[in-house]
Amino acid sequence: MSVTITGRTGEPVMRGRSPARRPARRRAAAVLAAVAVAALTPGSVRATATSPAAPEVRDGVGTPAVPFWSDEFTGRAGARPDASVWTSEVGNRRQEGWWNNELQYYTARPANSALNGSGALVIRARRADRRSHLPCWPRGRCDYTSARLTTEGTASLTHGRIDVRATIPTGKGLLPAIWMLGNNGRVWPRQGEIDIVEVVGGEPRTAYGTAHGPGYSNEDGLGGTADLGARASRSFHVYSVVKERHRITWLVDDEPYFTLTPQDLPSPQRWVFEQDMHVLLNVAVGGDWPGRPGPSTRFPATMRIDYVRMYGTGVVDGVAVSSPRSPLAG
């Protein structure tokens, strides 16, 4: 499916309704020596250099490469995503509605996040059992459950490219997101956030790509949009970010639609993206940006992730890694 570009590459777009986010868990970034991953076990989620499921792509700096890390989500139906890779963040009230007044309680249950047995991870936002009494912010109980998964502490991108192939649920009051947070241990927004894609409530055809940092966060986040041509839930798209030194580019199906550099910021010194950044996957319900679900919003609201792949340089299990060079590169 073709992608219609609505944000002009290289020209910041003020997004006006970006949701605030602050992470519940933070770790200081480790100081690591660079090593290659060519000797890792073929076929594992940490070594897909020889996997036929991971084709060659450009890694964002012009070098043909294969992933230094990926998860292809192979496994039996109903199994939870690999706990050695993905951490399930749980709760709502103690996180102040995930700092957005959101209405879902995140769980670690298979009902909210599990493999489908056909090579995909499925995240479902569901109506909560009325007997569950899951605490919501600022009081009462949450009417919805969902999942929020992160690779914090296990897999991060430093420079290169990340590809995530997914279908994304749509409907009033939903805010599914595929995004990254920095490992620098700072308080958000100095931590840095890159939203690879968000699809908000009543805009089912629009993919938002946004960056947040000091002086350009929340409604002042800098980003652009791409028109998917149909509802994001109808078909898979590959949502990507190329993270080069002092340049970030957003793409859908390999078509770039927005680029950000330090010169585009309110102050170039507030560029906080020259660091390792981990991945988050979640489906939020309600909150400051999308509002409450309406009668037409269908539950369960389902995100399907076919794969997550990182190319270039990064950190895996505390070790600095880089993509093995393709044999075709000469």
Side-chain angles (χ1 to χ4, degrees), residues 274-322:
E274 303 307 311
Q275 59 166 313
D276 311 320
M277 303 188 75
H278 58 274
V279 183
L280 299 96
L281 311 169
N282 69 288
V283 179
V285 181
D288 298 335
W289 190 16
R292 300 184 68 89
S296 64
T297 306
R298 295 184 178 182
F299 291 94
T302 302
M303 176 190 284
R304 295 177 178 85
I305 302 97
D306 185 23
Y307 57 73
V308 180
R309 297 172 181 166
M310 296 183 189
Y311 307 80
T313 62
V315 177
V316 178
D317 292 336
V319 178
V321 298
S322 60

Side-chain angles (χ1 to χ4, degrees), residues 20-27 87-99 106 148 150 152 179 181-182 186-188 191 193 278 280:
R21 282 204 181 94
R22 281 180 280 172
R25 299 166 59 244
R26 302 184 182 95
R27 291 191 180 97
T87 297
S88 294
E89 298 188 318
V90 173
N92 176 287
R93 185 178 293 173
R94 291 184 180 179
Q95 294 79 17
E96 300 180 16
W98 297 96
W99 296 278
Y106 287 130
R148 169 168 158 148
T150 173
E152 183 180 5
W179 49 303
L181 285 172
R186 307 296 294 274
V187 175
W188 193 93
Q191 179 184 29
E193 174 180 335
H278 58 274
L280 299 96

Side-chain angles (χ1 to χ4, degrees), residues 178-182 192-197 210-212 241 243 248 250 273 277:
I178 299 168
W179 49 303
M180 295 191 291
L181 285 172
E193 174 180 335
I194 299 173
D195 298 326
I196 300 169
V197 62
T210 314
H212 301 269
V241 158
K243 185 173 174 286
I248 302 169
W250 284 258
F273 304 107
M277 303 188 75

Side-chain angles (χ1 to χ4, degrees), residues 16-22 96-104 137 173-175 200 218-219 284-292:
R17 287 177 294 174
S18 171
R21 282 204 181 94
R22 281 180 280 172
E96 300 180 16
W98 297 96
W99 296 278
N100 284 313
N101 297 304
E102 294 170 11
L103 305 177
Q104 80 291 325
W137 173 262
L174 298 178
L175 185 57
V200 61
N218 296 333
E219 65 274 8
V285 181
D288 298 335
W289 190 16
R292 300 184 68 89

